[in-house]
Amino acid sequence: MKKGKLFPGNFRNGIQAFFAILSIYIGWQFYNYYRYLETSGMAGRAFRPPGVEAFIPLSSLVGLRAWLGTGTFDPVHPAGLAILLTAILISFLFRKSFCGWICPFGFLEELLAGVGGKIFSKRLAVPRWLDNLLRSLKYILLAFFVGSVFSMATEAAVSFVDLPYNKIVDIKMLMFFLNISVKGLLVFGFLIFMSILFDHFWCRYLCPYGALMGLAGWLSPSSIKRNRELCVNCRACDKACPAHLKVSEVKTVLSPECNDCLNCTESCPVPGALENTFMGKPGRTKYVLPLAMLAVFAAAVAAAKVTGHWNSGVTLNEVSTLYRDIGNL
């Protein structure tokens, strides 16, 4: 990547940082909601931020199965389903850009890769055959979750959505992290350590959500195209690619691993040799993709709010009742 450029480094990382800070803020709001329940209203706030549902994707996946079977949008975690559908839409339109621009875990992985780069003068590389084998793990996990959910009968999916457990699964998730076991700490410590040793370890090998976004992006009308006549084979694009794709060896980047970070196009020293295209036509400016992507994200969230598919239909009184029996759920 060329130093001193606003894009994509500082600009993309700035957008990633914005969504990471937003996620932390939502987490803080949700913690105050939990405190309200824990203290029976003596502390915290009686406000549950809908955005927290982005962190319970499995529940959203079941909500999607129920919606497809009944036509009724998830009334329990509607924001979660709306965000899942938005992420898939963005990935279809602009490849795996949700992972490269919005996902806070992707941002964390890049920060950990940066830490590794500071510690080690030369990054550890996984052999090509092993890398391909390990990359299949996230697709296997995705197939397991999708297969398990979509093999459910419609009635079973609807019943799951309405389960008391599902209604407070976000609270259960928070309590898991607040009271995390030694085993849980060891698992997270291992993932952090491996992400420092190897670039984007979690995203590259284990994230089923990213695998879903990658498959949606594989069908995208957006692509990176290389003009072989203009290319000088400097391989700057290969070095800039965080997914370690061999951009210099293909005419069109079709890999589901491409997260549309645009590092490759920005690193290319020859104008027109490497371009980000949509339906075969190059973008007018290098800001088209992020602005269009953010516009789609904002429009989708706004549409969910306007149509009543954002705030949960589960009342505070019902959640308070369920919380008192949370140990049995």
Side-chain angles (χ1 to χ4, degrees):
M1 187 191 310
K2 296 177 181 179
K3 295 182 179 180
K5 293 274 187 174
L6 175 63
F7 185 93
N10 292 340
F11 184 63
R12 184 173 68 88
N13 293 154
I15 292 176
Q16 288 179 302
F18 167 78
F19 280 102
I21 293 171
L22 178 61
S23 297
I24 293 172
Y25 177 64
I26 289 172
W28 175 249
Q29 287 182 312
F30 189 65
Y31 174 72
N32 278 289
Y33 177 69
Y34 165 75
R35 288 284 295 148
Y36 181 89
L37 296 172
E38 184 185 38
T39 63
S40 300
M42 299 299 292
R45 289 184 61 201
F47 170 70
R48 176 188 173 278
V52 75
E53 295 174 8
F55 299 96
I56 47 173
L58 187 56
S59 174
S60 300
L61 192 63
V62 179
L64 174 60
R65 170 67 185 90
W67 179 46
L68 293 176
T70 64
T72 300
F73 206 84
D74 189 343
V76 176
H77 297 300
L81 179 52
I83 292 171
L84 174 62
L85 293 173
T86 301
I88 294 173
L89 175 62
I90 288 174
S91 297
F92 170 70
L93 292 174
F94 311 110
R95 292 191 305 283
K96 199 180 174 183
S97 56
F98 184 87
C99 297
W101 291 79
I102 296 177
C103 179
F105 295 107
F107 181 52
L108 175 61
E109 284 281 88
E110 292 197 23
L111 292 179
L112 292 174
V115 171
K118 295 291 185 181
I119 297 175
F120 305 104
S121 58
K122 186 177 181 180
R123 304 294 286 140
L124 297 178
V126 179
R128 178 70 67 89
W129 68 268
L130 181 58
D131 180 66
N132 290 332
L133 180 64
L134 291 175
R135 272 193 289 161
S136 68
L137 291 176
K138 65 176 180 281
Y139 295 101
I140 293 173
L141 289 171
L142 174 64
F144 171 76
F145 289 124
V146 172
S148 298
V149 169
F150 281 85
S151 64
M152 297 172 67
T154 298
E155 294 77 10
V158 172
S159 295
F160 177 89
V161 168
D162 200 44
L163 280 176
Y165 173 85
N166 185 51
K167 292 179 179 179
I168 57 171
V169 66
D170 44 6
I171 299 173
K172 297 278 285 187
M173 175 189 66
L174 176 61
M175 292 178 67
F176 168 80
F177 286 104
L178 292 176
N179 304 284
I180 193 167
S181 65
V182 173
K183 184 182 295 185
L185 285 173
L186 288 175
V187 170
F188 284 111
F190 170 77
L191 292 174
I192 291 172
F193 177 71
M194 293 302 287
S195 295
I196 292 174
L197 284 181
F198 304 99
D199 289 344
H200 312 101
F201 181 82
W202 166 258
C203 298
R204 190 169 180 80
Y205 300 129
L206 297 173
C207 181
Y209 200 90
L212 176 60
M213 300 305 115
L215 292 178
W218 191 50
L219 303 172
S220 176
S222 176
S223 65
I224 299 292
K225 290 188 177 294
R226 183 175 69 94
N227 187 318
R228 293 175 177 173
E229 294 180 357
L230 295 176
C231 179
V232 295
N233 295 312
C234 66
R235 299 187 181 277
C237 51
D238 296 347
K239 296 176 183 178
C241 180
H244 303 297
L245 300 178
K246 298 299 181 182
V247 181
S248 65
E249 298 177 3
V250 298
K251 182 179 180 180
T252 303
V253 178
L254 297 175
S255 173
E257 299 299 316
C258 175
N259 66 8
D260 232 359
C261 67
L262 302 185
N263 285 9
C264 61
T265 58
E266 181 64 8
S267 67
C268 183
V270 182
L274 201 62
E275 294 183 304
N276 181 47
T277 68
F278 189 83
M279 299 184 70
K281 298 180 180 180
R284 292 180 181 272
T285 74
K286 54 194 175 185
Y287 295 99
V288 168
L289 175 127
L291 293 179
M293 178 197 62
L294 292 174
V296 170
F297 184 85
V301 172
K305 291 182 177 182
V306 169
T307 58
H309 296 137
W310 188 251
N311 293 301
S312 175
V314 182
T315 66
L316 178 61
N317 286 338
E318 185 176 2
V319 173
S320 298
T321 301
L322 291 172
Y323 178 77
R324 288 195 289 270
D325 196 38
I326 197 168
N328 298 319
L329 297 178

Short mmCIF file of all heavy atoms in Angstrom, two decimals, residues 107-162:
data_model
loop_
_atom_site.label_atom_id
_atom_site.label_comp_id
_atom_site.label_asym_id
_atom_site.label_seq_id
_atom_site.Cartn_x
_atom_site.Cartn_y
_atom_site.Cartn_z
N PHE A 107 -11.99 -5.80 11.77
CA PHE A 107 -11.12 -4.69 12.19
C PHE A 107 -10.16 -5.15 13.28
O PHE A 107 -8.96 -4.84 13.26
CB PHE A 107 -11.97 -3.53 12.68
CG PHE A 107 -11.20 -2.32 13.10
CD1 PHE A 107 -10.26 -1.75 12.26
CD2 PHE A 107 -11.41 -1.75 14.34
CE1 PHE A 107 -9.54 -0.61 12.66
CE2 PHE A 107 -10.71 -0.62 14.74
CZ PHE A 107 -9.77 -0.06 13.89
N LEU A 108 -10.68 -5.91 14.24
CA LEU A 108 -9.83 -6.44 15.31
C LEU A 108 -8.75 -7.35 14.75
O LEU A 108 -7.59 -7.28 15.18
CB LEU A 108 -10.69 -7.20 16.33
CG LEU A 108 -9.94 -7.92 17.45
CD1 LEU A 108 -9.15 -6.91 18.29
CD2 LEU A 108 -10.90 -8.71 18.34
N GLU A 109 -9.12 -8.18 13.79
CA GLU A 109 -8.14 -9.08 13.17
C GLU A 109 -7.03 -8.28 12.48
O GLU A 109 -5.86 -8.67 12.52
CB GLU A 109 -8.84 -9.98 12.16
CG GLU A 109 -9.64 -11.11 12.77
CD GLU A 109 -8.74 -12.25 13.22
OE1 GLU A 109 -8.27 -12.20 14.38
OE2 GLU A 109 -8.49 -13.17 12.44
N GLU A 110 -7.39 -7.17 11.85
CA GLU A 110 -6.37 -6.35 11.20
C GLU A 110 -5.45 -5.70 12.22
O GLU A 110 -4.24 -5.57 11.99
CB GLU A 110 -7.04 -5.29 10.31
CG GLU A 110 -7.74 -5.88 9.10
CD GLU A 110 -8.03 -4.84 8.02
OE1 GLU A 110 -7.33 -3.81 7.98
OE2 GLU A 110 -8.95 -5.07 7.23
N LEU A 111 -6.02 -5.30 13.36
CA LEU A 111 -5.19 -4.73 14.42
C LEU A 111 -4.22 -5.76 14.97
O LEU A 111 -3.03 -5.46 15.21
CB LEU A 111 -6.08 -4.20 15.55
CG LEU A 111 -6.95 -2.98 15.23
CD1 LEU A 111 -7.79 -2.60 16.45
CD2 LEU A 111 -6.10 -1.79 14.79
N LEU A 112 -4.70 -6.99 15.15
CA LEU A 112 -3.84 -8.06 15.66
C LEU A 112 -2.76 -8.42 14.65
O LEU A 112 -1.61 -8.71 15.02
CB LEU A 112 -4.68 -9.30 16.00
CG LEU A 112 -5.64 -9.14 17.19
CD1 LEU A 112 -6.51 -10.37 17.33
CD2 LEU A 112 -4.85 -8.89 18.48
N ALA A 113 -3.12 -8.37 13.36
CA ALA A 113 -2.11 -8.61 12.32
C ALA A 113 -1.05 -7.52 12.36
O ALA A 113 0.15 -7.79 12.15
CB ALA A 113 -2.78 -8.65 10.94
N GLY A 114 -1.48 -6.29 12.65
CA GLY A 114 -0.53 -5.19 12.78
C GLY A 114 0.40 -5.39 13.95
O GLY A 114 1.60 -5.09 13.87
N VAL A 115 -0.14 -5.91 15.06
CA VAL A 115 0.70 -6.22 16.23
C VAL A 115 1.73 -7.27 15.86
O VAL A 115 2.92 -7.16 16.21
CB VAL A 115 -0.17 -6.71 17.41
CG1 VAL A 115 0.71 -7.23 18.54
CG2 VAL A 115 -1.07 -5.59 17.91
N GLY A 116 1.27 -8.30 15.13
CA GLY A 116 2.20 -9.34 14.70
C GLY A 116 3.29 -8.81 13.80
O GLY A 116 4.45 -9.23 13.88
N GLY A 117 2.91 -7.86 12.94
CA GLY A 117 3.89 -7.25 12.04
C GLY A 117 4.95 -6.47 12.80
O GLY A 117 6.10 -6.37 12.35
N LYS A 118 4.56 -5.89 13.95
CA LYS A 118 5.52 -5.14 14.76
C LYS A 118 6.45 -6.07 15.52
O LYS A 118 7.63 -5.77 15.73
CB LYS A 118 4.77 -4.24 15.76
CG LYS A 118 3.94 -3.13 15.14
CD LYS A 118 4.81 -2.07 14.51
CE LYS A 118 3.95 -0.90 14.01
NZ LYS A 118 4.79 0.15 13.36
N ILE A 119 5.90 -7.22 15.94
CA ILE A 119 6.68 -8.17 16.74
C ILE A 119 7.65 -8.96 15.88
O ILE A 119 8.83 -9.15 16.22
CB ILE A 119 5.76 -9.12 17.52
CG1 ILE A 119 4.91 -8.33 18.52
CG2 ILE A 119 6.57 -10.20 18.24
CD1 ILE A 119 3.88 -9.16 19.24
N PHE A 120 7.15 -9.45 14.73
CA PHE A 120 7.96 -10.31 13.87
C PHE A 120 8.41 -9.55 12.63
O PHE A 120 7.59 -8.94 11.94
CB PHE A 120 7.16 -11.55 13.45
CG PHE A 120 6.61 -12.33 14.63
CD1 PHE A 120 5.27 -12.25 14.96
CD2 PHE A 120 7.44 -13.13 15.40
CE1 PHE A 120 4.75 -12.96 16.03
CE2 PHE A 120 6.94 -13.84 16.48
CZ PHE A 120 5.60 -13.76 16.80
N SER A 121 9.69 -9.63 12.35
CA SER A 121 10.22 -8.94 11.16
C SER A 121 9.70 -9.59 9.89
O SER A 121 9.54 -8.94 8.86
CB SER A 121 11.75 -8.97 11.17
OG SER A 121 12.23 -10.31 11.23
N LYS A 122 9.40 -10.90 9.96
CA LYS A 122 8.86 -11.61 8.81
C LYS A 122 7.65 -12.42 9.25
O LYS A 122 7.73 -13.19 10.19
CB LYS A 122 9.92 -12.54 8.20
CG LYS A 122 9.47 -13.21 6.91
CD LYS A 122 10.58 -14.06 6.31
CE LYS A 122 10.13 -14.71 5.01
NZ LYS A 122 11.22 -15.54 4.41
N ARG A 123 6.53 -12.20 8.58
CA ARG A 123 5.30 -12.88 8.96
C ARG A 123 5.38 -14.38 8.68
O ARG A 123 5.96 -14.82 7.69
CB ARG A 123 4.10 -12.31 8.18
CG ARG A 123 3.91 -10.83 8.34
CD ARG A 123 3.53 -10.46 9.77
NE ARG A 123 2.15 -10.82 10.04
CZ ARG A 123 1.73 -11.34 11.19
NH1 ARG A 123 2.58 -11.58 12.15
NH2 ARG A 123 0.46 -11.62 11.37
N LEU A 124 4.81 -15.16 9.60
CA LEU A 124 4.77 -16.60 9.41
C LEU A 124 3.78 -16.92 8.29
O LEU A 124 2.69 -16.36 8.23
CB LEU A 124 4.36 -17.30 10.70
CG LEU A 124 5.31 -17.14 11.90
CD1 LEU A 124 4.74 -17.84 13.12
CD2 LEU A 124 6.68 -17.71 11.56
N ALA A 125 4.18 -17.83 7.42
CA ALA A 125 3.33 -18.20 6.28
C ALA A 125 2.89 -19.65 6.41
O ALA A 125 3.69 -20.52 6.77
CB ALA A 125 4.08 -17.99 4.97
N VAL A 126 1.61 -19.89 6.13
CA VAL A 126 1.07 -21.25 6.13
C VAL A 126 1.28 -21.83 4.73
O VAL A 126 0.98 -21.17 3.74
CB VAL A 126 -0.43 -21.25 6.47
CG1 VAL A 126 -1.00 -22.66 6.44
CG2 VAL A 126 -0.66 -20.61 7.84
N PRO A 127 1.82 -23.06 4.61
CA PRO A 127 2.00 -23.68 3.29
C PRO A 127 0.69 -23.66 2.50
O PRO A 127 -0.39 -23.80 3.08
CB PRO A 127 2.44 -25.11 3.63
CG PRO A 127 3.06 -25.01 4.99
CD PRO A 127 2.28 -23.93 5.70
N ARG A 128 0.78 -23.50 1.18
CA ARG A 128 -0.40 -23.35 0.34
C ARG A 128 -1.40 -24.49 0.53
O ARG A 128 -2.60 -24.26 0.66
CB ARG A 128 0.03 -23.26 -1.13
CG ARG A 128 -1.13 -23.14 -2.14
CD ARG A 128 -1.83 -21.81 -2.05
NE ARG A 128 -0.96 -20.74 -2.49
CZ ARG A 128 -0.88 -20.34 -3.77
NH1 ARG A 128 -1.58 -20.94 -4.70
NH2 ARG A 128 -0.10 -19.32 -4.09
N TRP A 129 -0.91 -25.73 0.58
CA TRP A 129 -1.81 -26.89 0.70
C TRP A 129 -2.54 -26.88 2.04
O TRP A 129 -3.74 -27.17 2.13
CB TRP A 129 -1.04 -28.20 0.53
CG TRP A 129 -0.06 -28.48 1.65
CD1 TRP A 129 1.25 -28.13 1.70
CD2 TRP A 129 -0.35 -29.16 2.88
NE1 TRP A 129 1.82 -28.54 2.89
CE2 TRP A 129 0.87 -29.18 3.63
CE3 TRP A 129 -1.48 -29.76 3.42
CZ2 TRP A 129 0.96 -29.77 4.89
CZ3 TRP A 129 -1.39 -30.34 4.68
CH2 TRP A 129 -0.18 -30.35 5.40
N LEU A 130 -1.82 -26.48 3.11
CA LEU A 130 -2.43 -26.43 4.44
C LEU A 130 -3.39 -25.26 4.55
O LEU A 130 -4.45 -25.36 5.16
CB LEU A 130 -1.34 -26.33 5.51
CG LEU A 130 -1.83 -26.31 6.97
CD1 LEU A 130 -2.66 -27.56 7.28
CD2 LEU A 130 -0.64 -26.19 7.92
N ASP A 131 -3.02 -24.14 3.92
CA ASP A 131 -3.89 -22.97 3.91
C ASP A 131 -5.23 -23.29 3.26
O ASP A 131 -6.29 -22.94 3.78
CB ASP A 131 -3.19 -21.83 3.17
CG ASP A 131 -4.04 -20.57 3.12
OD1 ASP A 131 -4.29 -19.98 4.18
OD2 ASP A 131 -4.47 -20.19 2.02
N ASN A 132 -5.17 -23.97 2.11
CA ASN A 132 -6.41 -24.34 1.42
C ASN A 132 -7.25 -25.30 2.26
O ASN A 132 -8.48 -25.20 2.30
CB ASN A 132 -6.08 -25.00 0.07
CG ASN A 132 -5.52 -24.02 -0.92
OD1 ASN A 132 -5.82 -22.82 -0.87
ND2 ASN A 132 -4.70 -24.49 -1.85
N LEU A 133 -6.58 -26.21 2.95
CA LEU A 133 -7.29 -27.17 3.81
C LEU A 133 -7.96 -26.46 4.98
O LEU A 133 -9.14 -26.70 5.28
CB LEU A 133 -6.31 -28.23 4.31
CG LEU A 133 -6.90 -29.33 5.21
CD1 LEU A 133 -7.93 -30.15 4.43
CD2 LEU A 133 -5.79 -30.23 5.75
N LEU A 134 -7.22 -25.57 5.63
CA LEU A 134 -7.76 -24.87 6.78
C LEU A 134 -8.89 -23.91 6.40
O LEU A 134 -9.84 -23.72 7.15
CB LEU A 134 -6.65 -24.10 7.49
CG LEU A 134 -5.59 -24.94 8.20
CD1 LEU A 134 -4.47 -24.06 8.75
CD2 LEU A 134 -6.21 -25.77 9.32
N ARG A 135 -8.78 -23.30 5.21
CA ARG A 135 -9.83 -22.38 4.77
C ARG A 135 -11.17 -23.08 4.59
O ARG A 135 -12.21 -22.44 4.65
CB ARG A 135 -9.41 -21.68 3.48
CG ARG A 135 -8.62 -20.40 3.71
CD ARG A 135 -8.49 -19.59 2.45
NE ARG A 135 -7.61 -20.20 1.48
CZ ARG A 135 -7.59 -19.91 0.19
NH1 ARG A 135 -8.44 -19.04 -0.29
NH2 ARG A 135 -6.73 -20.48 -0.61
N SER A 136 -11.12 -24.38 4.36
CA SER A 136 -12.37 -25.12 4.17
C SER A 136 -13.15 -25.25 5.48
O SER A 136 -14.37 -25.51 5.46
CB SER A 136 -12.08 -26.52 3.61
OG SER A 136 -11.39 -27.32 4.58
N LEU A 137 -12.47 -25.04 6.62
CA LEU A 137 -13.13 -25.22 7.91
C LEU A 137 -14.33 -24.28 8.07
O LEU A 137 -15.38 -24.70 8.56
CB LEU A 137 -12.13 -24.99 9.05
CG LEU A 137 -11.03 -26.03 9.22
CD1 LEU A 137 -10.06 -25.62 10.33
CD2 LEU A 137 -11.62 -27.41 9.52
N LYS A 138 -14.18 -23.03 7.69
CA LYS A 138 -15.30 -22.09 7.88
C LYS A 138 -16.48 -22.43 6.99
O LYS A 138 -17.63 -22.21 7.36
CB LYS A 138 -14.85 -20.65 7.68
CG LYS A 138 -14.37 -20.26 6.30
CD LYS A 138 -14.07 -18.75 6.27
CE LYS A 138 -13.57 -18.30 4.90
NZ LYS A 138 -12.16 -18.64 4.71
N TYR A 139 -16.21 -23.01 5.84
CA TYR A 139 -17.30 -23.43 4.96
C TYR A 139 -17.98 -24.69 5.49
O TYR A 139 -19.20 -24.86 5.33
CB TYR A 139 -16.77 -23.66 3.54
CG TYR A 139 -16.25 -22.39 2.90
CD1 TYR A 139 -14.88 -22.12 2.84
CD2 TYR A 139 -17.13 -21.43 2.40
CE1 TYR A 139 -14.41 -20.94 2.28
CE2 TYR A 139 -16.66 -20.25 1.85
CZ TYR A 139 -15.30 -20.01 1.78
OH TYR A 139 -14.84 -18.83 1.24
N ILE A 140 -17.20 -25.54 6.13
CA ILE A 140 -17.78 -26.73 6.77
C ILE A 140 -18.68 -26.30 7.93
O ILE A 140 -19.79 -26.81 8.10
CB ILE A 140 -16.67 -27.68 7.26
CG1 ILE A 140 -15.91 -28.27 6.07
CG2 ILE A 140 -17.25 -28.79 8.13
CD1 ILE A 140 -14.69 -29.08 6.46
N LEU A 141 -18.19 -25.33 8.72
CA LEU A 141 -19.01 -24.81 9.83
C LEU A 141 -20.28 -24.15 9.30
O LEU A 141 -21.37 -24.34 9.85
CB LEU A 141 -18.20 -23.81 10.65
CG LEU A 141 -17.08 -24.38 11.51
CD1 LEU A 141 -16.22 -23.26 12.09
CD2 LEU A 141 -17.64 -25.24 12.63
N LEU A 142 -20.15 -23.38 8.22
CA LEU A 142 -21.32 -22.73 7.62
C LEU A 142 -22.32 -23.78 7.15
O LEU A 142 -23.53 -23.65 7.39
CB LEU A 142 -20.88 -21.85 6.45
CG LEU A 142 -22.02 -21.22 5.64
CD1 LEU A 142 -22.82 -20.25 6.49
CD2 LEU A 142 -21.47 -20.52 4.39
N ALA A 143 -21.82 -24.82 6.46
CA ALA A 143 -22.70 -25.88 5.96
C ALA A 143 -23.42 -26.57 7.12
O ALA A 143 -24.61 -26.90 7.00
CB ALA A 143 -21.89 -26.89 5.15
N PHE A 144 -22.72 -26.75 8.22
CA PHE A 144 -23.33 -27.39 9.40
C PHE A 144 -24.47 -26.53 9.94
O PHE A 144 -25.58 -27.03 10.18
CB PHE A 144 -22.28 -27.62 10.48
CG PHE A 144 -22.85 -28.07 11.79
CD1 PHE A 144 -23.29 -29.38 11.95
CD2 PHE A 144 -22.99 -27.18 12.85
CE1 PHE A 144 -23.85 -29.80 13.17
CE2 PHE A 144 -23.53 -27.59 14.05
CZ PHE A 144 -23.96 -28.90 14.22
N PHE A 145 -24.21 -25.24 10.15
CA PHE A 145 -25.23 -24.36 10.73
C PHE A 145 -26.41 -24.16 9.78
O PHE A 145 -27.57 -24.27 10.19
CB PHE A 145 -24.62 -23.00 11.09
CG PHE A 145 -23.71 -23.05 12.27
CD1 PHE A 145 -22.40 -22.59 12.18
CD2 PHE A 145 -24.14 -23.54 13.48
CE1 PHE A 145 -21.55 -22.64 13.27
CE2 PHE A 145 -23.30 -23.60 14.59
CZ PHE A 145 -21.99 -23.13 14.47
N VAL A 146 -26.11 -23.89 8.50
CA VAL A 146 -27.19 -23.69 7.52
C VAL A 146 -27.98 -24.98 7.33
O VAL A 146 -29.22 -24.97 7.28
CB VAL A 146 -26.62 -23.19 6.18
CG1 VAL A 146 -27.70 -23.18 5.10
CG2 VAL A 146 -26.02 -21.79 6.33
N GLY A 147 -27.25 -26.10 7.24
CA GLY A 147 -27.93 -27.39 7.08
C GLY A 147 -28.83 -27.71 8.26
O GLY A 147 -29.96 -28.18 8.09
N SER A 148 -28.32 -27.46 9.46
CA SER A 148 -29.10 -27.75 10.67
C SER A 148 -30.35 -26.88 10.75
O SER A 148 -31.44 -27.36 11.08
CB SER A 148 -28.24 -27.52 11.92
OG SER A 148 -27.13 -28.38 11.93
N VAL A 149 -30.20 -25.59 10.42
CA VAL A 149 -31.33 -24.66 10.52
C VAL A 149 -32.36 -24.90 9.43
O VAL A 149 -33.57 -24.97 9.69
CB VAL A 149 -30.83 -23.21 10.49
CG1 VAL A 149 -32.00 -22.24 10.34
CG2 VAL A 149 -30.05 -22.88 11.75
N PHE A 150 -31.90 -25.07 8.18
CA PHE A 150 -32.85 -25.17 7.08
C PHE A 150 -33.41 -26.58 6.89
O PHE A 150 -34.30 -26.79 6.06
CB PHE A 150 -32.22 -24.64 5.79
CG PHE A 150 -32.23 -23.14 5.72
CD1 PHE A 150 -31.22 -22.40 6.31
CD2 PHE A 150 -33.27 -22.46 5.11
CE1 PHE A 150 -31.23 -21.02 6.28
CE2 PHE A 150 -33.30 -21.08 5.08
CZ PHE A 150 -32.28 -20.36 5.67
N SER A 151 -32.89 -27.52 7.67
CA SER A 151 -33.51 -28.85 7.67
C SER A 151 -34.65 -28.89 8.69
O SER A 151 -35.41 -29.87 8.74
CB SER A 151 -32.47 -29.93 8.00
OG SER A 151 -31.96 -29.75 9.32
N MET A 152 -34.79 -27.83 9.48
CA MET A 152 -35.88 -27.74 10.45
C MET A 152 -37.21 -27.56 9.72
O MET A 152 -37.28 -26.88 8.70
CB MET A 152 -35.68 -26.55 11.40
CG MET A 152 -34.44 -26.61 12.26
SD MET A 152 -34.17 -25.05 13.17
CE MET A 152 -35.57 -25.05 14.29
N ALA A 153 -38.23 -28.15 10.27
CA ALA A 153 -39.58 -27.88 9.77
C ALA A 153 -39.94 -26.45 10.12
O ALA A 153 -39.43 -25.88 11.09
CB ALA A 153 -40.57 -28.86 10.38
N THR A 154 -40.83 -25.86 9.34
CA THR A 154 -41.24 -24.48 9.59
C THR A 154 -41.78 -24.32 11.01
O THR A 154 -41.47 -23.35 11.70
CB THR A 154 -42.31 -24.05 8.57
OG1 THR A 154 -41.75 -24.09 7.26
CG2 THR A 154 -42.79 -22.64 8.87
N GLU A 155 -42.57 -25.28 11.44
CA GLU A 155 -43.16 -25.20 12.78
C GLU A 155 -42.08 -25.20 13.86
O GLU A 155 -42.20 -24.49 14.86
CB GLU A 155 -44.11 -26.38 13.01
CG GLU A 155 -45.36 -26.38 12.14
CD GLU A 155 -45.07 -26.84 10.71
OE1 GLU A 155 -43.94 -27.34 10.45
OE2 GLU A 155 -45.96 -26.70 9.85
N ALA A 156 -41.01 -25.98 13.64
CA ALA A 156 -39.93 -26.05 14.62
C ALA A 156 -39.17 -24.72 14.67
O ALA A 156 -38.80 -24.25 15.75
CB ALA A 156 -38.96 -27.18 14.26
N ALA A 157 -38.97 -24.11 13.51
CA ALA A 157 -38.29 -22.82 13.46
C ALA A 157 -39.12 -21.75 14.16
O ALA A 157 -38.58 -20.93 14.93
CB ALA A 157 -38.01 -22.42 12.02
N VAL A 158 -40.41 -21.74 13.91
CA VAL A 158 -41.30 -20.77 14.55
C VAL A 158 -41.31 -20.98 16.07
O VAL A 158 -41.28 -20.01 16.84
CB VAL A 158 -42.73 -20.89 13.98
CG1 VAL A 158 -43.70 -20.01 14.78
CG2 VAL A 158 -42.76 -20.49 12.51
N SER A 159 -41.32 -22.24 16.47
CA SER A 159 -41.32 -22.55 17.91
C SER A 159 -40.03 -22.07 18.57
O SER A 159 -40.05 -21.54 19.69
CB SER A 159 -41.48 -24.05 18.13
OG SER A 159 -42.74 -24.50 17.68
N PHE A 160 -38.90 -22.23 17.87
CA PHE A 160 -37.62 -21.77 18.41
C PHE A 160 -37.62 -20.26 18.59
O PHE A 160 -37.16 -19.74 19.61
CB PHE A 160 -36.46 -22.18 17.51
CG PHE A 160 -35.12 -21.68 17.99
CD1 PHE A 160 -34.37 -22.43 18.87
CD2 PHE A 160 -34.62 -20.45 17.57
CE1 PHE A 160 -33.14 -21.97 19.34
CE2 PHE A 160 -33.40 -19.97 18.03
CZ PHE A 160 -32.66 -20.74 18.92
N VAL A 161 -38.11 -19.56 17.60
CA VAL A 161 -38.15 -18.09 17.67
C VAL A 161 -38.93 -17.64 18.90
O VAL A 161 -38.55 -16.66 19.56
CB VAL A 161 -38.79 -17.50 16.38
CG1 VAL A 161 -39.11 -16.02 16.57
CG2 VAL A 161 -37.87 -17.71 15.19
N ASP A 162 -39.98 -18.36 19.24
CA ASP A 162 -40.85 -17.96 20.36
C ASP A 162 -40.44 -18.56 21.70
O ASP A 162 -41.10 -18.32 22.71
CB ASP A 162 -42.29 -18.36 20.04
CG ASP A 162 -43.30 -17.57 20.87
OD1 ASP A 162 -43.12 -16.34 21.01
OD2 ASP A 162 -44.24 -18.19 21.41
#
